[in-house]
Amino acid sequence: YQGWYGRQTIDLYTRFAATCLKRYKDKVKYWIVINQINLIFGESFSSLGMVMDEYEDFTAAKYQAVHNEFVA
């Protein structure tokens, strides 16, 4: 799905998050559903799941990926 760049990841992640939130609602008081969103400039693969060689404009692709994280 090209990491967070692909819009399909939004639906997959929201299903995953909803499952975790329901399962552990009585055990976890505070949640950070997407951690370290600010790492896009230094570690794009680690935080966005993107490989630089796959995109013509990698900077624009990273911003699209972060947008998709915020939407999720």
Side-chain angles (χ1 to χ4, degrees), residues 2-70:
Q2 297 179 307
W4 278 105
Y5 181 77
R7 288 197 56 85
Q8 304 94 324
T9 305
I10 296 170
D11 294 332
L12 295 171
Y13 185 77
T14 53
R15 278 186 20 212
F16 167 74
T19 300
C20 290
L21 292 168
K22 286 177 190 172
R23 172 71 173 90
Y24 297 107
K25 66 182 178 186
D26 296 329
K27 297 180 180 185
V28 178
K29 187 173 181 177
Y30 300 105
W31 291 88
I32 299 175
V33 292
I34 295 179
N35 188 22
Q36 298 179 331
I37 202 165
N38 61 330
L39 291 179
I40 65 165
F41 297 107
E43 300 184 21
S44 298
F45 182 77
S46 297
S47 63
L48 299 174
M50 298 170 61
V51 178
M52 183 183 292
D53 298 342
E54 295 181 7
Y55 306 92
E56 189 172 314
D57 184 351
F58 190 58
T59 300
K62 287 196 295 186
Y63 282 107
Q64 180 62 51
V66 170
H67 168 77
N68 289 344
E69 279 188 316
F70 281 130

